[in-house]
Amino acid sequence: MQLEDTRFQSFTATTRPETGPPRLAALRDELARAGLDGFLVPRADAHQGEYVAPCDDRLAWLTGFTGSAGFCIALNDRAGLFVDGRYTAQARAQCDGDSFTVVDWPATRPAAWLQSALPEGGELGYDPWLYTPDQLAAYEAGLASTGITLRPVENLIDRIWPDRPDPPQGAVRVYPDALAGQSHDDKRARLAETLVAAGQTAAVITLPDSIAWLLNIRGSDIPRNPVPHGFAILHADGAVDLFMAEAKLSDTVRAHLGDAVHLHAPDLFGEALAALTGPVRLDRGSVPQWVADRLDEAGVDRQWGEDPCELPKARKTPAEISATREAHLRDGAAMCEFLAWYDAQSPGSLTEIDVVKKLESCRRATGKLLDISFDTIAGSGPNGALPHYRVSEDSNRVLHPGELLVLDSGGQYEDGTTDITRTLPVGDVTGPAERAAFTRVLKGMIAISRLRWPRGLAGRDLDAIARYHLWLADQDYAHGTGHGIGVHLCVHEGPQRISRASEVPLDPGMILSDEPGYYREGAFGIRIENILVVTPADPVAGGDGRDMLAFETLNFVPIDRRLIDTDLLDDPERAWIDAYHAACRTKIAARLSPEAQAWLDAATAPL
């Protein structure tokens, strides 16, 4: 009973469509008072992380939409909710359709929509804490010939949100140097050298995971993501000014940070910016526009440049890779315990919530789980066609025989962050469409896993390889093929990813997911995901000795052989599956209960 009361994931729906219309009406009253024609409402906070604290979840509060990406443009006579293909069905289900029009983005650009909605021009308000210079530049470029202008204002949502939660005050803890592979003294010194080389005196860092990585700390301000909220200024001498609530920092953490990290209250951040001597580096893709405005007002020279932590953080140290290997093996054993239990249940006897609860209990049984790395996606039948579905008490359904279950989940352990997706049959799945699509998705996942490529290629150069077999069948998926993953940090980490939009070259040490999928709205979904780390490729006999990279697989959980149409596989693909399943037995079996060992032996039999 205690486990049920303390589980990480809850199943209460946090929004209702009917709350949207009165809130939108209140926002329009504020627009009239401010003399504005509209207001921009992103899903963002001042730190520009993907996940936001409850006090910053303004988009969900206004519209009812709880997805992790999207924005609303609220005008006096209409409101557009812009979401990409991952969230279209979810947005329509969660929002009042008479008040909010779901707009397919990026197929429809905000500037084009606004030009149609405000043909005579107008003025839109935005909160400069919630938009980056890059984002605003894109708006301004699109609106250049429309007569529509942007004006920075205090956040209008905050004026009408009477019970807005307080900002989080989660405790900060030390992250061991042995797991990080480098002390924060060494990290600060190394990054300071890059500032000196660029002729810059300081860099402003606002991304929570960058600050956590740089200082070898972890936090608890955001559920599922062990990061603290704060701001930092890294100086060219390696010192750091850290702006973070005092209540978060214990004496142990203060001793760990040492004399070169100077602690300040968050409300002193603006004053400290104004006192800097430039040039100061700002990442125009992550820093709030408010920061650039403060520097400009104080006459401080600033220069655009990447967050100095991003690429070093992405290129994991040998210690981080070793640690996360162990985390994935532990997590893989928990997954196998779950799958053995799942296959022992009678088809039709489980609900989606039953699945989520049991899987979390298997991870908890490791004794090492600190949190789940995101709310588990357990979508059966038509719910599986929603790539980012989150089960609630309202949406929960029985897993019916003959359906597919998309199960995407992960754990936060001190030594790593895990993420794995398996598509499972509910009883016998005999539909040829489902089996063929599953096999095409699997072929794409295998193709990425087996890939060798010349050093210097980016994620966009690899993305199409995962889609090839789906494209031949006139099928595709509306999300990227892979995202970066932190080591006991955020489950979605940049800048590395496998996506047609990614121009960041893949380097050794980068950890990414490999997760092609297919989704037939109203019917079923399929996704298969493994986690990979970039490594130098082994030489090939008779080759040219080129500088090539490859992937090492980190997680080992069987892929359901019952859903594979083996006639669609070629011999190298069959060999890869059999070798992968043999590795699952070798690496995982000794960690399992006798019942799960027996299940693993059967699940990994050669094709």
Side-chain angles (χ1 to χ4, degrees), residues 99-118:
S99 299
F100 300 96
T101 301
V102 177
V103 181
D104 183 10
W105 172 79
T108 299
R109 297 288 180 177
W113 186 86
L114 281 166
Q115 190 166 7
S116 173
L118 295 172

Side-chain angles (χ1 to χ4, degrees), residues 1-162:
M1 182 62 68
Q2 184 180 7
L3 176 61
E4 293 298 303
D5 293 340
T6 60
R7 64 176 178 263
F8 291 118
Q9 186 161 340
S10 70
F11 306 101
T12 302
T14 56
T15 65
R16 301 282 179 185
E18 60 267 22
T19 65
R23 293 172 179 177
L24 182 59
L27 177 58
R28 286 172 172 154
D29 290 341
E30 291 298 324
L31 289 178
R33 277 190 276 273
L36 292 167
D37 298 288
F39 187 65
L40 306 180
V41 186
R43 190 184 188 277
D45 61 16
H47 309 277
Q48 290 300 320
E50 179 181 358
Y51 299 96
V52 299
C55 65
D56 294 313
D57 208 356
R58 299 174 179 91
L59 183 65
W61 183 85
L62 176 67
T63 67
F65 171 65
T66 61
S68 64
F71 58 93
C72 178
I73 303 178
L75 306 179
N76 288 313
D77 62 345
R78 70 192 75 181
L81 176 60
F82 292 72
V83 296
D84 62 36
R86 297 172 296 169
Y87 292 114
T88 303
Q90 177 180 339
R92 288 174 180 154
Q94 290 186 313
C95 302
D96 180 86
D98 293 332
S99 299
F100 300 96
T101 301
V102 177
V103 181
D104 183 10
W105 172 79
T108 299
R109 297 288 180 177
W113 186 86
L114 281 166
Q115 190 166 7
S116 173
L118 295 172
E120 304 301 322
E123 189 173 40
L124 302 178
Y126 72 93
D127 182 345
W129 274 109
L130 305 185
Y131 279 90
T132 68
D134 258 357
Q135 292 167 335
L136 291 174
Y139 267 102
E140 289 167 349
L143 298 174
S145 61
T146 66
I148 300 172
T149 58
L150 302 178
R151 188 214 305 176
V153 296
E154 291 187 5
N155 200 294
L156 301 188
I157 299 293
D158 296 353
R159 296 182 185 178
I160 61 172
W161 190 349

Side-chain angles (χ1 to χ4, degrees), residues 34-349:
L36 292 167
D37 298 288
F39 187 65
L40 306 180
V41 186
R43 190 184 188 277
D45 61 16
H47 309 277
Q48 290 300 320
E50 179 181 358
Y51 299 96
V52 299
C55 65
D56 294 313
D57 208 356
R58 299 174 179 91
L59 183 65
W61 183 85
L62 176 67
T63 67
F65 171 65
T66 61
S68 64
F71 58 93
C72 178
I73 303 178
L75 306 179
N76 288 313
D77 62 345
R78 70 192 75 181
L81 176 60
F82 292 72
V83 296
D84 62 36
R86 297 172 296 169
Y87 292 114
T88 303
Q90 177 180 339
R92 288 174 180 154
Q94 290 186 313
C95 302
D96 180 86
D98 293 332
S99 299
F100 300 96
T101 301
V102 177
V103 181
D104 183 10
W105 172 79
T108 299
R109 297 288 180 177
W113 186 86
L114 281 166
Q115 190 166 7
S116 173
L118 295 172
E120 304 301 322
E123 189 173 40
L124 302 178
Y126 72 93
D127 182 345
W129 274 109
L130 305 185
Y131 279 90
T132 68
D134 258 357
Q135 292 167 335
L136 291 174
Y139 267 102
E140 289 167 349
L143 298 174
S145 61
T146 66
I148 300 172
T149 58
L150 302 178
R151 188 214 305 176
V153 296
E154 291 187 5
N155 200 294
L156 301 188
I157 299 293
D158 296 353
R159 296 182 185 178
I160 61 172
W161 190 349
D163 55 351
R164 183 184 171 213
D166 293 329
Q169 299 292 320
V172 174
R173 53 192 163 85
V174 175
Y175 193 67
D177 289 357
L179 295 178
Q182 194 174 26
S183 70
H184 75 83
D185 294 319
D186 290 341
K187 290 180 180 180
R188 289 186 289 101
R190 178 159 58 105
L191 298 192
E193 290 175 359
T194 68
L195 299 182
V196 172
Q200 296 163 342
T201 63
V204 177
I205 303 172
T206 57
L207 289 171
D209 59 329
S210 288
I211 295 172
W213 173 86
L214 176 63
L215 299 178
N216 282 356
I217 56 176
R218 297 296 186 264
S220 51
D221 283 335
I222 303 292
R224 321 292 177 248
N225 295 269
V227 295
H229 274 173
F231 303 101
I233 301 173
L234 171 66
H235 297 274
D237 63 357
V240 166
D241 285 305
L242 178 63
F243 301 85
M244 191 172 288
E246 182 178 353
K248 299 180 184 181
L249 304 168
S250 67
D251 290 342
T252 300
V253 172
R254 292 168 187 267
H256 160 78
L257 293 174
D259 295 337
V261 178
H262 310 294
L263 304 177
H264 311 276
D267 57 7
L268 298 178
F269 183 45
E271 180 181 319
L273 291 172
L276 292 174
T277 301
V280 175
R281 181 191 297 193
L282 301 182
D283 187 331
R284 62 182 300 154
S286 64
V287 74
Q289 180 64 41
W290 185 92
V291 172
D293 292 344
R294 295 293 77 70
L295 292 174
D296 290 345
E297 290 170 3
V300 178
D301 181 27
R302 56 177 172 81
Q303 296 177 352
W304 300 127
E306 293 179 346
D307 176 334
C309 302
E310 271 213 309
L311 280 175
K313 170 168 55 70
R315 299 171 181 137
K316 311 305 181 199
T317 65
E320 288 176 308
I321 294 171
S322 177
T324 206
R325 282 195 189 104
E326 173 60 24
H328 280 87
L329 292 175
R330 181 189 309 118
D331 195 74
M335 279 290 300
C336 288
E337 293 285 355
F338 164 80
L339 291 171
W341 170 86
Y342 174 84
D343 274 358
Q345 309 308 304
S346 300
S349 65

Side-chain angles (χ1 to χ4, degrees), residues 5 16 23 37 60 100 125 189 213 232 234 272 280 341 373 398 412 430 469-470 481 488 512 562 597:
D5 293 340
R16 301 282 179 185
R23 293 172 179 177
D37 298 288
F100 300 96
W213 173 86
L234 171 66
V280 175
W341 170 86
S373 55
V398 172
Q412 287 285 5
T430 58
H469 295 285
L470 287 165
T481 297
H488 193 40
L512 301 107
R562 295 167 292 187
Q597 285 182 2

Side-chain angles (χ1 to χ4, degrees), residues 342 347-350 380-382 397-404 425-429:
Y342 174 84
S349 65
L350 298 176
S380 63
R397 64 189 299 275
V398 172
L399 280 56
H400 296 291
E403 293 182 335
L404 297 180
V426 183
D428 295 327
V429 176

